[in-house]
Amino acid sequence: SYEVTQSPSVSVSPGQMARITCSGDELPRRFSYWYQQKSGQAPVLVIYEDKKRPSWIPERFSGSISGTVATLTISGAQMDDEADYYCYSTDSDDNVVFGGGTKLTVL
Amino acid sequence: EGRLQQSGGGFVEPGGSLRLSCAASGFNFTNAWMNWVRQAPGKGLEWVARFKSKADGGAIDYAAPVKGRFTISRDDSRSTLYLQLSSLQTEDTAVYFCTTLSVFWGQGALVIVSS
């Protein structure tokens, strides 16, 4: 079955750039989406269709795609950005596939 | 402003059944593709099921681990999504979210399967 893969953790200092990646063979052909999830809360959409940002999400969040790797970039990470981040895409049957999640630590 | 309000959940023994509900308001539920996503304790997000809008064919799809045991349904007249969970196993213990997979997520409902 199709899988998308994320690194388990990323750690940055406040103000630094954080990059979280998601890899999958179908990503050149299918959109990627990114969620932020803080402890005990429902996920919040931060990037959709590879690089579009909802209007309520700060401009420091951006998305990109290069080949089979989608990247969520946080320019100037803040303590409030500390959370789990999940990517998802779809397989050839249009079923949803989540990555395993990346824990972002800002310290 | 749109929202999804969930009800249901609770404690059930292995082999038992439970129904989750998700009432939508503030957005066009009839045209929305609705999903259930779950999260086991300390684990990541796992997609469970999807019900496409009737306008887009109304197809239903399930993740392999729940196929044949869970049933997703919707009542567009009530703007409500359901998930019937049957033949529950301990591995089904999780918080279950209803969601459009875009902006709208329910608050989650905890299902604990244990003897």
Side-chain angles (χ1 to χ4, degrees), chain A residues 35 37 42-43 45 56 86 88 94-96 98, chain B residues 39 44-45 47 50 52 61 101-103 105-106:
Chain A
Y35 292 106
Q37 187 183 33
L45 184 72
W56 56 88
Y86 294 92
Y88 92 80
D94 212 23
N95 292 329
V96 173
F98 281 101
Chain B
Q39 187 168 36
L45 301 173
W47 175 76
R50 176 184 59 222
K52 294 183 179 179
D61 295 286
L101 281 179
S102 57
V103 177
W105 286 72

Side-chain angles (χ1 to χ4, degrees), chain A residues 5-71:
Chain A
T5 303
Q6 299 180 238
S7 53
S9 63
V10 169
S11 183
V12 297
S13 299
Q16 283 192 327
M17 180 176 292
R19 289 191 178 91
I20 299 170
T21 61
C22 175
S23 61
D25 291 341
E26 291 289 327
L27 292 181
R29 289 168 289 282
R30 296 184 169 268
F31 285 128
S32 59
Y33 300 77
W34 290 94
Y35 292 106
Q36 176 194 71
Q37 187 183 33
K38 297 183 178 179
S39 181
Q41 299 182 17
V44 173
L45 184 72
V46 294
I47 294 290
Y48 66 102
E49 294 180 359
D50 294 338
K51 50 189 166 186
K52 296 179 181 178
R53 180 174 43 81
S55 59
W56 56 88
I57 298 300
E59 288 185 9
R60 64 180 181 275
F61 288 85
S62 64
S64 62
I65 182 80
S66 178
T68 61
V69 180
T71 302

Side-chain angles (χ1 to χ4, degrees), chain B residues 93-114:
Chain B
T93 293
V95 174
Y96 286 75
F97 296 98
C98 61
T99 176
T100 58
L101 281 179
S102 57
V103 177
F104 304 117
W105 286 72
Q107 80 275 23
L110 178 60
V111 173
I112 299 174
V113 185
S114 175

Side-chain angles (χ1 to χ4, degrees), chain B residues 53-72:
Chain B
S53 66
K54 300 285 173 39
D56 290 322
I60 291 173
D61 295 286
Y62 296 97
V66 308
K67 201 166 187 177
R69 300 188 299 120
F70 291 8
T71 302
I72 187 173

Side-chain angles (χ1 to χ4, degrees), chain B residues 2-13:
Chain B
R3 67 177 296 198
L4 293 170
Q5 181 66 40
Q6 295 184 229
S7 58
F11 184 95
V12 61
E13 293 186 344

